[in-house]
Amino acid sequence: MRNSFSNMLSYAAALQCVETWAKKSSRPSCVVPLTQAVGRITATAIFACSNRPETDVSAMDGYAFAHAAMASAPEGLSIQGLTVAGAQPVALPDGYAQKILTGASVPQGADCVMAMERMVQAPNSERIRPLQALAEKGANIRRAGEEFTQGDLLVPCGQRLDWRHIALLACQKIHAVTVVQPLHIALVANGAELSSTAADCRADSNTPMLAALFESYGARVTSFLVASDDQNALTATLEEALHKADIIVTTGGISVGMTDNVMDAFLSLGAHALFRGVKMRPGKPVSLFEKEGKLAFCLPGNPGASALCAQVLVVPYLRSVMGQQPEALLLPGRVEFAFTALPDTTHFVPVAATATAQGYVFTQLPTVGASDIIVLSRAAAFLQVNPAETIAQNQMCQVVSLQVI
């Protein structure tokens, strides 16, 4: 049979092949402004430039004083001065208290801060004292370096930056970050049914779906469309994509039908197959080609199968090449259904996840198969069931989360 699946790999072997090739690749780095670093992946570890806080600071608006002096002054201490955030504090004279605002450095000689509303000023007097009990020594003072100290690791290499990391780096006055340059993916959809003039024109859902997925992992995507079953046109587009991008991802045209031309097109360009078909469901036709060190992931045209193959084969490659751990986020929990895999097939079962006091509970979602799109929006994860494995109802399992990390 044309382009037959005569030597398919197991899913585990296919993933191992992908990871082996990922280890052969590395991405250059570049420096970007902190304001443009959200979603980028750090190329180096980032360490603290200074302690946080840099000095002892007040945790509230109130009064700073020496604990021993206040404890031995029943009528309170006289008020002298005010310290605000950003100002250099004046040393506190013996027997005095000083007004202080949140974030201000604690003046030398003070070892306690109490909130304004917990202090009382005697009538016709400049003395203040606790309204009730005296706070403990050291109260309401944030100590220098209590969050972290100079040289501490703030952000590891391979971290995808989000708003939390931006705040952390900004507080250290870090204005630029060294990040991994995005992997450039050429995304090629093909098929006569995608032509706007086709008698039975079909919408191309794979291209926007996969572009969004890959971009969410920090890749840069250029999309190509070959809206015909012309192998020469497809070959020309693939050749252009090979020159422009770091890797290629195709959708459709990789099975054994008369109009499935992707394999022949790559072979005509001098590429060779690293694997042809994978024993997984859905996604059996997925194949991987290589030409001069560049990989081409060839995904099925059915959207559900295309999305799954991208999640469990392409995304691990992206994560690894861009400096992240290739493993997906695994969620532990209890399954509410039973499932037995075929003897030679790895199944990926879409599940919904419900959080309970005892952890997650996973429910199998109904699906019409490899073409199913709506199930992707309802699923929280895929349950991977290995060949011949039986999952019992109420068994504890780990599922592959669809959450981007």
Side-chain angles (χ1 to χ4, degrees):
M1 183 183 293
R2 178 176 182 265
N3 296 343
S4 65
F5 302 106
S6 56
N7 293 297
M8 290 193 297
L9 292 186
S10 68
Y11 168 68
L15 182 60
Q16 181 61 53
C17 176
V18 169
E19 292 176 347
T20 297
W21 276 89
K23 291 175 182 176
K24 299 178 182 179
S25 304
S26 61
R27 300 296 302 151
S29 62
C30 60
V31 177
V32 298
L34 185 63
T35 54
Q36 299 175 19
V38 172
R40 305 297 293 270
I41 297 167
T42 53
T44 60
I46 304 174
F47 298 90
C49 307
S50 59
N51 297 342
R52 178 169 169 84
E54 294 188 34
T55 62
D56 291 352
V57 298
S58 177
M60 57 186 58
D61 296 341
Y63 295 92
F65 49 83
H67 187 271
M70 185 66 76
S72 61
E75 296 182 0
L77 301 176
S78 297
I79 304 168
Q80 185 180 87
L82 168 67
T83 299
V84 300
Q88 183 65 37
V90 177
L92 185 66
D94 291 342
Y96 284 85
Q98 188 176 101
K99 287 183 179 179
I100 193 167
L101 300 185
T102 304
S105 295
V106 176
Q108 182 180 350
D111 58 11
C112 185
V113 172
M114 288 188 66
M116 287 184 178
E117 61 271 21
R118 296 185 180 277
M119 304 293 283
V120 62
Q121 185 172 344
N124 304 317
S125 170
E126 288 297 316
R127 291 178 175 270
I128 54 100
R129 58 179 176 80
L131 181 62
Q132 295 178 337
L134 174 63
E136 295 182 358
K137 182 178 179 180
N140 305 313
I141 295 175
R142 294 185 56 216
R143 296 299 181 184
E146 71 175 21
E147 277 192 58
F148 52 81
T149 60
Q150 183 178 5
D152 283 353
L153 176 65
L154 298 183
V155 181
C157 180
Q159 174 66 55
R160 177 179 302 281
L161 298 173
D162 61 29
W163 60 271
R164 300 167 298 170
H165 308 107
I166 300 303
L168 180 60
L169 300 179
C171 84
Q172 289 286 281
K173 302 177 183 177
I174 294 174
H175 303 298
V177 186
T178 302
V179 297
V180 177
Q181 285 193 6
L183 193 74
H184 184 193
I185 299 176
L187 183 55
V188 183
N190 74 102
E193 70 276 13
L194 302 179
S195 172
S196 60
T197 60
D200 187 17
C201 175
R202 305 295 175 85
D204 175 17
S205 59
N206 284 343
T207 294
M209 171 183 71
L210 295 176
L213 173 64
F214 299 149
E215 288 170 353
S216 72
Y217 282 93
R220 180 166 66 91
V221 177
T222 299
S223 299
F224 297 83
L225 174 62
V226 182
S228 75
D229 294 326
D230 185 327
Q231 183 176 323
N232 291 330
L234 176 60
T235 302
T237 299
L238 294 178
E239 186 172 26
E240 179 185 357
L242 279 166
H243 283 103
K244 288 185 175 181
D246 299 310
I247 68 168
I248 296 178
V249 176
T250 68
T251 63
I254 195 57
S255 193
V256 296
M258 292 182 62
T259 59
D260 290 325
N261 297 317
V262 169
M263 180 175 177
D264 289 336
F266 273 118
L267 293 178
S268 72
L269 291 171
H272 74 278
L274 296 176
F275 57 78
R276 172 69 178 131
V278 176
K279 296 175 184 178
M280 59 184 286
R281 184 177 290 186
K284 169 186 169 181
V286 63
S287 301
L288 182 65
F289 292 85
E290 180 270 333
K291 177 178 168 59
E292 298 175 355
K294 288 189 178 181
L295 297 187
F297 292 84
C298 302
L299 312 184
N302 275 322
S306 185
L308 174 66
C309 291
Q311 284 279 355
V312 301
L313 288 171
V314 184
V315 167
Y317 178 85
L318 296 185
R319 289 176 58 83
S320 181
V321 168
M322 295 182 69
Q324 296 186 293
Q325 291 298 315
E327 294 81 8
L329 175 63
L330 297 178
L331 296 179
R334 177 176 57 82
V335 295
E336 283 195 324
F337 59 94
F339 191 95
T340 298
L342 294 174
D344 63 346
T345 302
T346 299
H347 295 255
F348 290 90
V349 182
V351 297
T354 303
T356 71
Q358 290 74 40
Y360 284 106
V361 175
F362 303 121
T363 306
Q364 184 176 5
L365 291 173
T367 175
V368 297
S371 64
D372 203 336
I373 291 180
I374 197 167
V375 73
L376 299 174
S377 65
R378 295 171 175 168
F382 287 103
L383 172 64
Q384 178 180 332
V385 188
N386 296 320
E389 182 181 9
T390 294
I391 301 295
Q393 188 174 7
N394 294 321
Q395 181 176 329
M396 294 299 294
C397 294
Q398 289 187 320
V399 299
V400 181
S401 173
L402 297 183
Q403 179 183 347
V404 176
I405 57 170

